Each structure stands twice: as structure tokens, then as C-alpha cells.
Amino acid sequence: MKLYHFPLSGNAHKVRLMLSMLSLPHEVAVPTGGAHKQPEFLAMNPFGQVPVLVDGEVVVRDSQAILVYLAARYGGPAWWPEDPARLAAVQGWLSTAANEVSHGPALLRMHRKFGRSIDLEATTQRSLALLYLLDDQLRTQPWLVPGDQPSIADLAVYPYIALAPEGGLELSPHVHLMAWLSRMQALPGHVDMPGLWRPIAKE
């Protein structure tokens, strides 16, 4: 199994988390010098983006799709629910990761950290609305999908929320959200990356 990724990509990080939490042996490759825009890479992902996972003859692009593949093939019901209602709830959060998270906190981080030109006011408002929504969602339950264990819904949303301070977003008003981030970081197999939010150590 081989993962093509960039170390500072939150989308790639969620796949690294899944691989680690499932204890799946794999090698990693970082396309450099524009290799992700060359024909060899474009044959795996015509959009020229990481992450891409190669598992034998199977090639999967897109971070949400890779999470689905790994959970369904290797994770079992703990990560890929058999109950249709729970599975639909997971899919709903995968869509949130690809939409509200991507066009909110992730885009704001791209602006602050990498100089991406954006509509700053609109992106900030989208991001703040999402943080309040997530905090409210987690007010009465430990994970994004109700239950006593995490799912790929949590992995899909987690990285760019944990990286939100790099986009200039303050997480301290959202106590339930911060508690969820702490739970995520306490999971066996959690992998760190530069910029992730960490709880302030108590003296």
C-alpha cells in the first residue's frame, strides 16, 4: 500500500490517521518538483491532487473516498457502519468535510498560511458558522455521529478544524468542539502534524 501526500495537507492527514488507526502497513511518497502534474501522477488522479492511495491494483483518489475505501475494506463496522441510518449520517459528514469545511476553515488557512486569494469576509463568516454548528452538535454526544465510538465522519472533519487556528480562527469559545478535538487526539494511532490545535496544559 502506498500513499501519495503532502505533509501540510489536512486532506492527506486524514488518510494518514486512518492508516495509522487501522495499523495498516504502507509507504508514503511526496510528489516534488511538480510531479503531481505529470502524466504518471495524472493517470492516478486526473485532478493532479493528493492524496492518492494505491492498494495493489486499486487506485483511489480524494481523501473522503479513500476513507470510505479503507473503512469498508479494512475497518469493519466500527468504522463503516452496517446500519443504513448511521451510514447515511456518516455520509452526511463526509459531504460537510468536502463542502463547509473545505470552503470555510480549510480555505481560510490557505489564505493565511499560503497566500491564497479569497473572499476573506465571506470565508470567515462561513467558518464561524461552522464552528458554532459543530460545537452545538457535540454538546450532547462525544462524536459527530451519535454513538460511543468514532467513525470516518470524525476523521474527515477533524484535520482542518484542528488546523483552524492557522487560519486565524479562535477555538476557545467552543468548549464542546475542543473536547472533541482532545478525544480525537487521544485515540490510539493518532498522528500529529505541524499546526494542529493542542489543549493548553494545566499547571
Side-chain angles (χ1 to χ4, degrees):
M1 197 177 298
K2 187 172 186 177
L3 173 66
Y4 293 85
H5 80 112
F6 289 141
L8 296 181
S9 166
N11 282 328
H13 187 67
K14 64 185 72 171
V15 177
R16 292 181 61 223
L17 285 169
M18 181 90 269
L19 290 167
S20 178
M21 290 180 181
L22 292 177
S23 300
L24 292 173
H26 62 281
E27 60 178 306
V28 296
V30 179
T32 59
H36 60 299
K37 300 298 184 182
Q38 299 304 310
E40 183 178 355
F41 190 90
L42 293 174
M44 296 186 292
N45 183 358
F47 291 97
Q49 300 171 338
V50 296
V52 170
L53 182 74
V54 180
D55 184 16
E57 299 299 316
V58 177
V59 178
V60 189
R61 67 166 181 87
D62 181 79
S63 57
Q64 272 67 251
I66 297 172
L67 290 180
V68 167
Y69 172 78
L70 291 174
R73 181 162 185 178
Y74 298 107
W79 289 102
W80 189 242
E82 297 176 346
D83 174 65
R86 184 172 170 83
L87 188 58
V90 169
Q91 179 57 56
W93 286 109
L94 296 182
S95 295
T96 300
N99 289 285
E100 288 85 353
V101 176
S102 180
H103 296 109
L107 191 56
L108 201 55
R109 175 177 177 260
M110 286 287 290
H111 170 70
R112 301 284 191 190
K113 191 174 180 68
F114 303 108
R116 174 102 170 248
S117 179
I118 64 172
D119 183 333
L120 183 58
E121 177 64 23
T123 306
T124 300
Q125 291 307 312
R126 280 197 301 269
S127 299
L128 292 173
L130 176 63
L131 294 182
Y132 280 103
L133 183 150
L134 290 170
D135 192 62
D136 188 62
Q137 180 77 17
L138 293 160
R139 185 181 304 274
T140 58
Q141 61 194 53
W143 309 108
L144 290 178
V145 175
D148 58 1
Q149 60 191 23
S151 69
I152 58 172
D154 300 281
L155 291 184
V157 172
Y158 164 73
Y160 283 118
I161 300 302
L163 291 167
E166 289 199 325
L169 294 169
E170 179 58 60
L171 295 181
S172 59
H174 310 288
V175 294
H176 308 292
L177 180 59
M178 290 192 299
W180 171 72
L181 292 175
S182 294
R183 286 192 291 275
M184 290 295 296
Q185 293 173 357
L187 289 173
H190 179 271
V191 178
D192 202 2
M193 76 171 283
L196 287 182
W197 172 91
R198 288 290 188 178
I200 298 175
K202 295 182 180 180
E203 297 183 359

